[in-house]
Amino acid sequence: MRLLILGGTAWLGGTIAAIAVRRGHAVTCLARGSGNSPPAGTEFVRADRDAPEAYAAVAQRDWDAVIDVSRQPGQVRGAAAAMARRARHYTFVSSASVYADHGTPGAAEDAGLLPPLDGDVMDSMEVYGEAKVACEQHVLAHFGPKRSLIVRSGLVAGPGDETGRTGYWPLRFARPAAEDGRVLVPEAPDLATQVVDVRDLAAWIVGATARGVSGIFNAMGDALQLAEHLAEARGVAGHTGPLVAADQDWLLAHGVQPWMGARSLPLWLPLPEYAGFSSRSTAAAKAAGLSLRPLRETLADTLAWELERGADRTRAAGLSADEERDLLRARASDAG
């Protein structure tokens, strides 16, 4: 397969490129090249996707497929228009954030979407879902449903996760902030989690693209209760200390943010409005070949990567050790 990856230097794109090379495909990565280098064995084309002639160097060649991971509608519109007569197939990596309703567990790909972003540039993560909707529409407009694969990914996990969301829990259990090993956890018995290992997602994208699979798919992990996910994280970390549970009202009242970012508890989301965010149907993707490794393997590999990177480094998500100790003291005071 002659494969053009628009990106290929960041986490998911780089993993896709590396797997494609290992499978014997001829891979070209088009990117600015201002960050990481593309994997060994790829051809690199340096280009700014916001520039008028961004695709000039690749639009004169024929491709079996294009894979695009952008979040910017203008970039996707330009790429799809430039490659429509040069590529047989276009795979776009979208997101579960395109859905308008996150409160219904088990929803499939026919669930309603947000309105598309009106414009070419997503300048805030507040409109990430709308931007991805617009990107999907640009791909379908230029390639049509029979030549397009839309991959709606959930939370991507595994070694290399710089967002800190999937590494937070195994690392916290391996390195508790409290001397007695206590760890603060959300009390959310009805909340599901749904993470997909970056290696499994990338492998499926490469395989489905090579086979010319078309359609729209939720490419996500198996839905698992948060308590079960935390139990797996404790297991890989060897944690035996106490768990200190706090419900969502207490966490919010004490300034703990859900999901991601500073002073947060990753994977935790308020209910009922997010009851379906991490419990979407993946039946279609599994029927199309999506294969998932055990969550414990993903968490163990992520913990090893986190420890190699440095357990005490500043993180993009979670509670700092000081913040957690303060919250544990507040929780003990409330209980006493």
Side-chain angles (χ1 to χ4, degrees), residues 19-95:
I19 289 174
V21 168
R22 288 201 299 270
R23 293 185 178 180
H25 300 302
V27 180
T28 297
C29 297
L30 182 148
R32 287 179 299 175
S34 57
N36 299 327
S37 299
T42 63
E43 175 193 10
F44 178 58
V45 175
R46 189 182 303 275
D48 181 351
R49 294 190 63 182
D50 293 321
E53 300 299 319
Y55 309 101
V58 295
Q60 303 305 314
R61 298 157 61 181
D62 292 324
W63 305 90
D64 293 306
V66 176
I67 297 178
D68 192 350
V69 299
S70 180
R71 66 183 61 173
Q72 296 294 352
Q75 293 180 356
V76 176
R77 176 176 50 78
M83 305 310 299
R85 295 187 178 182
R86 286 298 188 177
R88 291 190 297 183
H89 185 275
Y90 202 108
T91 294
F92 178 68
V93 181
S94 188
S95 167

Side-chain angles (χ1 to χ4, degrees), residues 16 19 23 67 91-92 109 149-153 196-211 213-220 284-292:
I16 291 171
I19 289 174
R23 293 185 178 180
I67 297 178
T91 294
F92 178 68
E109 290 83 355
L149 171 60
I150 306 296
V151 180
R152 291 177 180 160
S153 171
V196 59
D197 191 293
V198 64
R199 297 161 292 187
D200 297 336
L201 176 61
W204 182 73
I205 288 171
V206 172
T209 300
R211 298 193 308 272
V213 173
S214 62
I216 299 174
F217 297 87
N218 290 334
M220 305 167 187
K286 287 186 173 180
L290 176 63
S291 179
L292 305 171

Side-chain angles (χ1 to χ4, degrees), residues 285-306:
K286 287 186 173 180
L290 176 63
S291 179
L292 305 171
R293 71 191 66 206
L295 175 62
R296 179 169 288 238
E297 180 181 337
T298 298
L299 294 177
D301 291 348
T302 306
L303 175 58
W305 177 82
E306 288 278 1

